[in-house]
Amino acid sequence: FFVITTAPTTLTIRGDLLDLQNNIPALSLTPGWSLIGTHNLTDQNIGDVLSGYSYSSVWDFQSGLQSYRQLNATQDKLSYTRGYWVYVQ
């Protein structure tokens, strides 16, 4: 989720962390743009997360710069603390 506020605010997020006994849901992407995240608590290779999909670009939002950045699929990794825009062909 992206949350935009006009003033500083505190958000309380509730839920359960997944553990090894839980089934991690698989990605189900259709052609076009999708906003995704990863469930692992460690950084993931983009190719591993998007295995089986034909995608042309992955982007994240740089909050400090207030701009989007295209990721390098062979060098950058996905973090569980961030969301990513993916274009699936």
Side-chain angles (χ1 to χ4, degrees):
F1 296 96
F2 284 101
V3 178
I4 300 172
T5 64
T6 58
T9 188
T10 300
L11 298 175
T12 302
I13 309 296
R14 292 191 173 94
D16 297 320
L17 287 176
L18 296 174
D19 60 31
L20 296 177
Q21 277 62 49
N22 291 324
N23 292 322
I24 296 174
L27 285 177
S28 179
L29 303 177
T30 57
W33 287 102
S34 294
L35 183 61
I36 67 163
T38 179
H39 296 296
N40 287 16
L41 298 179
T42 59
D43 292 348
Q44 297 277 291
N45 291 320
I46 293 172
D48 293 342
V49 173
L50 296 175
S51 176
Y53 289 100
S54 176
Y55 60 95
S56 59
S57 63
V58 180
W59 295 73
D60 71 356
F61 184 72
Q62 303 290 299
S63 59
L65 300 173
Q66 293 292 296
S67 65
Y68 289 92
R69 172 182 69 117
Q70 186 170 15
L71 301 181
N72 181 317
T74 59
Q75 295 177 356
D76 292 316
K77 294 185 181 252
L78 304 182
S79 169
Y80 74 97
T81 62
R82 302 184 60 84
Y84 301 91
W85 286 102
V86 177
Y87 190 81
V88 175
Q89 298 168 331

